Amino acid sequence: MLLNYVPIYVMLPLGVVTAENVFQGKDEMEKQLTKLKDGGIDGIMVDVWWGVIEAKGPKQYDWSAYRSLFELVQHIGLKIQAIMSFHQCGGNVGDVVNIPIPQWVRDVGETDPDIFYTNKEGKRNKEYLSIGVDHQPLFAGRTAIQLYSDYMKSFRENMSDFLEAGVIIDIEVGLGPAGELRYPSYPQTLGWVFPGIGEFICYDKYLEADFKEAAANAGHPEYEFPKDAGTLNDTPKDTGFFGKNGTYRTEEGQFFLTWYSNKLLIHGDEILDEANQAFLGCKVKLAAKVSGIHWWYNDSSHAAELTAGYYNLYGRDGYRPIARMLSRHYGILNFTCLEMRNTEQPANALSAPQELVKQVLSGGWRENIEVAGENALARYDATAYNQILLNVRPIGVNKNGPPKYMMYGMTYLRLSDDLLQETNFDLFKIFVKKMHADQDYCPNAQKFNHELAPLERSKPKISIEDLLKATEGLAPFPWNSKTDLPVDGSVGLLGGLLQKIKSLFFK
């Protein structure tokens, strides 16, 4: 049964290290982490904010507060998933503190505002640098990718003792807003409200020039960005682009969507390649997060996914190319919204989180990579925990070895006073036990096939043509209707079958 064990981590509060680079409340954090450890969790996940570490100026890194935090985590006996958080904290769902990207980087935007993502009205989004500047040496002579690369190299140098001790086991590379590989298409700071379709946000001069060059090279210099894609809070039918027989189906619309989503693939691939070089030889896994944009999934246009950069339609898989790209870096695909059920969503959003999760996880498994996940919203109830457990082992446990389909890990969002409240925490501890397939906490990762080998150099680059072969639309793998290890004592399919067998033989 240990081969059915899925480790569980808990995300720390966003401001555990403050914007001023101070690890506050150490005593209280020690109590909380000790309680979590006693509850059986395997480790924690924490944002390591670029805006905190390199705040004082180019290459002036200060890791001292995070070192204090990591020493505490190591002392308690937990593992660390570290997020290279190159995005702003503030402006997204659940953000309760404000940590912008470094001021000296934002200062470049005073004279060149096109370093930031821009919508068609010219409004700038300062959550994350536009991927249009990935190769522009605008930051004291460095490109955006060089900024990220140097940061990760400094992290390795300054955290080498934690890496060598096997305390830091996972490096999640931030690739966009909220750390996710996507465009900031639905920013609350600009007035987005669920379930708005969001906006294409590629109107900075660097991405516009890139598109014009791509269109000219394709023999279509007349192609332009969509003019009929609506605004943040529209529905698909409000627009010409996403409506029935909309522009997204035309040759020009398809060219734009391919370019828009391919830019994201290339961005992720190039930064993960830098991460691979930075952590080469370390016993860690690399990971990247993909956003669970479940609203309008049941609309033929998948509008909210398209504006975020996931070119996902019926018959065209927008997620498996990401998994294929990750495969060359031995990367884990980390997906969100594991706790959500279709029936919990408002009918007008045409939302289908369950189908979305099945599609994305199946695509990862088809590409032979590890998949991990998170809940999107804080939940403390059995319904949410059971849905997570179902997604973690979609066809249940296998008493004779590892299940055919099983997630690599799960990160619970997030540590809070509400989670540690007695009733909530009692149920959470049961959830942890079920994640571990009813086994006790196991400190030996080898026993559940999670022992880490030194990170190898990324495999040869996969051409965009080969990445796009993974867009073929295939049905997801089979999923049980309920988990076989529920937290509330109800029995799922396999549990019910086992009970029947027992009753036959042990009357």
Side-chain angles (χ1 to χ4, degrees):
M1 285 294 287
L2 263 176
L3 294 175
N4 295 266
Y5 183 109
V6 177
I8 178 165
Y9 308 87
V10 173
M11 179 83 80
L12 295 190
L14 290 164
V16 61
V17 171
T18 68
E20 294 73 36
N21 206 357
V22 176
F23 174 29
Q24 286 184 336
K26 181 179 177 181
D27 292 345
E28 179 63 20
M29 179 58 62
E30 183 169 10
K31 288 178 191 172
Q32 292 180 330
L33 291 180
T34 300
K35 188 169 182 177
L36 287 173
K37 171 69 173 171
D38 292 344
I41 72 161
D42 298 85
I44 58 94
M45 180 181 271
V46 62
D47 288 281
V48 184
W49 297 107
W50 180 32
V52 169
I53 300 299
E54 201 177 355
K56 293 176 183 175
K59 296 190 180 182
Q60 295 182 46
Y61 307 105
D62 181 357
W63 303 98
S64 55
Y66 278 98
R67 282 198 57 83
S68 296
L69 171 63
F70 289 2
E71 285 165 2
L72 175 61
V73 175
Q74 181 179 28
H75 170 71
I76 289 169
L78 294 168
K79 303 295 187 185
I80 296 170
Q81 298 177 313
I83 310 173
M84 303 290 100
S85 297
F86 299 119
H87 60 287
Q88 165 188 298
C89 181
N92 278 299
V93 176
D95 286 354
V96 292
V97 297
N98 185 55
I99 301 173
I101 64 175
Q103 181 65 54
W104 62 270
V105 176
R106 285 180 286 141
D107 287 345
V108 176
E110 293 298 314
T111 53
D112 186 359
D114 289 277
I115 68 171
F116 298 117
Y117 282 116
T118 307
N119 72 3
K120 62 180 178 293
E121 296 170 347
K123 291 180 180 175
R124 312 291 183 176
N125 183 303
K126 298 180 181 180
E127 290 180 70
Y128 184 84
L129 292 173
S130 165
I131 56 180
V133 298
D134 277 356
H135 295 285
Q136 301 290 336
L138 303 170
F139 308 97
R142 290 187 291 167
T143 67
I145 287 182
Q146 286 171 333
L147 297 180
Y148 308 141
S149 177
D150 289 343
Y151 179 91
M152 290 187 285
K153 289 172 184 171
S154 179
F155 179 91
R156 175 179 177 166
E157 290 167 10
N158 286 274
M159 303 297 184
S160 59
D161 50 337
F162 299 111
L163 288 161
E164 289 164 10
V167 177
I168 299 172
I169 57 163
D170 186 287
I171 302 292
E172 182 168 289
V173 184
L175 298 171
E180 297 165 337
L181 180 61
R182 65 171 175 87
Y183 293 92
S185 55
Y186 52 101
Q188 288 185 315
T189 49
L190 295 183
W192 175 81
V193 178
F194 178 86
I197 59 173
E199 292 180 327
F200 295 116
I201 189 153
C202 49
Y203 291 80
D204 62 82
K205 67 184 181 186
Y206 299 105
L207 283 176
E208 282 193 321
D210 190 281
F211 177 78
K212 286 177 182 175
E213 182 182 353
N217 290 341
H220 288 283
E222 75 281 7
Y223 280 176
E224 297 179 330
F225 285 162
K227 288 187 166 64
D228 56 353
T231 56
L232 282 176
N233 294 314
D234 282 337
T235 68
K237 64 179 173 49
D238 293 332
T239 75
F241 193 87
F242 299 113
K244 191 176 181 181
N245 300 316
T247 310
Y248 77 95
R249 296 180 181 270
T250 66
E251 187 177 330
E252 184 171 355
Q254 291 172 354
F255 179 86
F256 167 75
L257 289 169
T258 301
W259 169 83
Y260 190 70
S261 55
N262 284 358
K263 290 298 294 181
L264 212 54
L265 272 174
I266 294 164
H267 171 73
D269 184 47
E270 290 181 339
I271 297 174
L272 284 164
D273 194 58
E274 294 295 327
N276 176 272
Q277 293 180 68
F279 295 102
L280 195 62
C282 296
K283 289 186 177 181
V284 294
K285 288 268 193 180
L286 298 180
K289 191 187 294 187
V290 172
S291 182
I293 299 178
H294 52 86
W295 53 105
W296 304 115
Y297 186 91
N298 276 340
D299 184 84
S300 58
S301 72
H302 289 245
E305 293 167 87
L306 298 194
T307 57
Y310 304 135
Y311 189 4
N312 189 53
L313 299 171
Y314 180 75
R316 189 194 196 278
D317 194 324
Y319 300 97
R320 196 152 61 92
I322 297 172
R324 183 165 292 186
M325 176 271 288
L326 275 165
S327 72
R328 97 166 177 105
H329 306 291
Y330 313 99
I332 299 170
L333 191 157
N334 189 16
F335 196 60
T336 59
C337 75
L338 293 190
E339 84 285 9
M340 292 186 174
R341 300 172 69 199
N342 298 353
T343 54
E344 298 167 344
Q345 308 304 317
N348 67 320
L350 294 184
S351 184
Q354 289 172 256
E355 282 67 39
L356 177 60
V357 168
K358 290 177 185 179
Q359 179 190 342
V360 175
L361 300 193
S362 295
W365 286 321
R366 279 197 167 100
E367 295 300 320
N368 297 310
I369 67 168
E370 306 287 3
V371 295
E374 302 173 6
N375 51 307
L377 303 173
R379 293 277 294 269
Y380 313 102
D381 58 288
T383 302
Y385 289 143
N386 288 340
Q387 186 63 34
I388 293 170
L389 288 161
L390 171 61
N391 290 325
V392 161
R393 289 180 291 258
I395 56 174
V397 298
N398 176 7
K399 298 207 169 181
N400 299 310
K404 187 174 182 183
Y405 309 122
M406 182 174 74
M407 293 180 66
Y408 189 77
M410 156 70 194
T411 301
Y412 177 82
L413 187 138
R414 85 178 54 244
L415 173 59
S416 67
D417 290 338
D418 286 339
L419 174 63
L420 298 179
Q421 184 269 333
E422 187 176 2
T423 306
N424 288 343
F425 195 61
D426 285 344
L427 188 60
F428 179 76
K429 286 188 287 187
I430 297 172
F431 170 59
V432 171
K433 186 90 169 178
K434 299 298 180 182
M435 285 289 300
H436 292 164
D438 277 336
Q439 306 300 295
D440 291 332
Y441 164 74
C442 181
N444 186 350
Q446 186 177 4
K447 290 187 176 179
F448 52 93
N449 281 345
H450 275 52
E451 186 175 26
L452 294 174
L455 185 64
E456 298 177 44
R457 184 69 182 101
S458 294
K459 289 176 270 191
K461 192 174 182 68
I462 303 171
S463 70
I464 200 74
E465 292 76 20
D466 283 338
L467 289 176
L468 294 186
K469 287 176 183 174
T471 59
E472 179 189 5
L474 300 172
F477 293 139
W479 240 252
N480 290 345
S481 60
K482 296 179 182 177
T483 177
D484 57 347
L485 290 178
V487 299
D488 50 357
S490 58
V491 290
L493 297 178
L494 183 57
L497 181 61
L498 289 171
Q499 282 194 353
K500 285 180 184 176
I501 293 169
K502 284 179 183 176
S503 67
L504 287 172
F505 286 97
F506 303 103
K507 287 184 177 177

